[in-house]
Amino acid sequence: MSEYAARNISHTDFILSGFSGSREWKQLLFIPFFLLFVMSVTANSMIIFIILSHRALHSPMYLLICVMAFVDLVIPIFFVPNMLLNLLFNWNHISLMGCLVQMFCIQFFQSVQSTVLLWMALDRFYAICTPLHYNEHMRISAFLKFVIIPMLRNAVFILAIVGLARSLSYCQSNEIKHCFCEHMALATLACGPIYVNNVVGLSGAFFIFVADFLLIVFSYVRIFVSLFKSGRTSQKAFSTCITHIIVIFVTLMFSLTSFLSYRIKNEMSSNSHMAISTMYLLMPACLNPIIYGIRTKEIRQQVINVMKCGKCPHSTDVRQFK
């Protein structure tokens, strides 16, 4: 009778088990994650500051880099401080509502990250393949159709995933074997079937991430065909595209590693799985601003000026390829 009653109780408070091991090991693990977090916040904040404070960098290409930096800034904020407190003080409790909010924020901004990469590809496509109509395509009123529809798509799928997770009854356990509230890590604690959650989760991955990736590939195929036809006069455009492709590759590499590590049979420990999932969210946020800072001449020059002078210099002339 008591067992029956227990199975009809849905947990509303959960424990994020995080990394296993001794307290000393966890406190040691705090150091690299803290340094990566500080690096992510500092680098992305600098990119945002430099682009917003220089009118000469207020062209669509640089504003999209600014949006990407903002996304890379906020994603770690939603889970890293909580994870650090867990490592240092063993503060690992989270309410169901807090878990769902964290899940929505992380997954929504992940989808925005994918969509921003698509917007960058479209920006380069219009700049290179239809340069005479670039300003027409990239004006706010025309570009909104490329913003509203993908963002609505992202919100609908993520709200559906979180809503389905909210409707489940959690009576198996209240221990989430992860550092943050990952969808399937929470859903597997439910009493009933989670087939619908699996289907909606995979559908979201396909219609958001896979769809964006296929459109990005199509855009860059068209871009490189156009570049090869135009010859050496498009060298700067080619360099800009390579920068975006490096960022896409970094994001895709970590996401595929995380996705496959949970779906292919292997002997990886739970700590290894959590490390991969954490790096999937944290490493692109650290590497992307460095990639843009090194490979984008105008941003690199402004970073050097800020580091030399300790303040924002006057705007310099920036000539963007169109």
Side-chain angles (χ1 to χ4, degrees):
M1 188 71 178
S2 60
E3 182 182 352
Y4 176 81
R7 289 187 63 82
N8 281 271
I9 296 175
S10 182
H11 295 291
T12 57
D13 185 71
F14 293 88
I15 297 173
L16 292 167
S17 62
F19 292 94
S20 61
S22 64
R23 185 171 182 180
E24 291 75 15
W25 159 248
K26 290 182 179 180
Q27 290 175 344
L28 186 63
L29 204 58
F30 168 89
I31 299 173
F33 283 119
F34 175 75
L35 292 176
L36 286 173
F37 178 66
V38 171
M39 176 182 172
S40 169
V41 171
T42 304
N44 285 292
S45 298
M46 180 174 287
I47 293 290
I48 294 170
F49 168 74
I50 286 172
I51 293 176
L52 293 183
S53 60
H54 291 80
R55 289 184 177 273
L57 295 177
H58 288 184
S59 61
M61 183 180 75
Y62 296 106
L63 291 176
L64 285 172
I65 293 176
C66 183
V67 174
M68 175 63 82
F70 174 76
V71 173
D72 287 336
L73 172 67
V74 298
I75 287 179
I77 289 176
F78 287 124
F79 78 97
V80 175
N82 199 31
M83 183 182 72
L84 293 177
L85 290 173
N86 189 350
L87 291 172
L88 202 58
F89 303 111
N90 202 32
W91 293 357
N92 53 10
H93 286 267
I94 188 169
S95 66
L96 176 60
M97 186 55 63
C99 186
L100 294 173
V101 169
Q102 186 188 63
M103 183 192 303
F104 173 82
C105 292
I106 292 175
Q107 294 202 0
F108 178 73
F109 278 99
Q110 278 184 278
S111 69
V112 172
Q113 186 181 57
S114 171
T115 304
V116 172
L117 291 173
L118 174 60
W119 293 342
M120 288 180 171
L122 288 174
D123 172 77
R124 292 298 83 203
F125 174 79
Y126 288 134
I128 295 168
C129 299
T130 59
L132 297 178
H133 301 283
Y134 176 80
N135 290 329
E136 178 184 348
H137 287 303
M138 296 304 294
R139 71 177 190 271
I140 296 297
S141 58
F143 193 68
L144 277 177
K145 62 185 177 182
F146 297 114
V147 175
I148 295 174
I149 295 176
M151 293 298 283
L152 284 175
R153 173 204 62 179
N154 298 349
V156 167
F157 274 105
I158 303 305
L159 282 172
I161 291 171
V162 175
L164 286 170
R166 174 68 180 87
S167 66
L168 294 173
S169 179
Y170 299 99
C171 60
Q172 298 287 352
S173 171
N174 70 334
E175 183 180 355
I176 301 174
K177 295 182 179 180
H178 217 297
C179 298
F180 55 89
C181 286
E182 198 269 338
H183 173 230
M184 291 311 298
L186 176 65
T188 51
L189 303 179
C191 310
I194 57 172
Y195 173 77
V196 176
N197 298 71
N198 269 312
V199 171
V200 174
L202 289 173
S203 299
F206 178 81
F207 286 105
I208 297 176
F209 301 102
V210 176
D212 285 351
F213 177 73
L214 292 176
L215 289 172
I216 289 170
V217 170
F218 175 77
S219 297
Y220 277 110
V221 168
R222 293 285 303 275
I223 288 170
F224 283 117
V225 169
S226 178
L227 285 174
F228 290 138
K229 287 181 179 179
S230 63
R232 54 194 176 97
T233 56
S234 298
Q235 183 178 357
K236 184 175 181 180
F238 183 82
S239 177
T240 303
C241 290
I242 291 298
T243 301
H244 294 166
I245 289 173
I246 292 173
V247 171
I248 292 168
F249 175 78
V250 168
T251 304
L252 181 64
M253 179 183 67
F254 282 103
S255 62
L256 280 177
T257 303
S258 176
F259 182 85
L260 294 176
S261 68
Y262 277 92
R263 287 160 179 82
I264 296 178
K265 290 183 178 181
N266 55 70
E267 298 180 357
M268 293 177 62
S269 65
S270 60
N271 280 352
S272 299
H273 281 297
M274 279 182 280
I276 291 173
S277 296
T278 306
M279 290 298 101
Y280 158 52
L281 295 176
L282 192 54
M283 286 306 295
C286 294
L287 295 178
N288 288 350
I290 297 174
I291 295 170
Y292 284 122
I294 292 175
R295 289 195 54 85
T296 307
K297 179 181 177 182
E298 294 79 10
I299 294 177
R300 181 174 69 247
Q301 187 58 52
Q302 297 299 343
V303 171
I304 293 172
N305 290 340
V306 169
M307 293 178 69
K308 283 182 177 179
C309 303
K311 61 180 180 178
C312 179
H314 295 294
S315 297
T316 56
D317 179 41
V318 177
R319 296 178 181 176
Q320 178 195 2
F321 171 83
K322 293 185 180 180

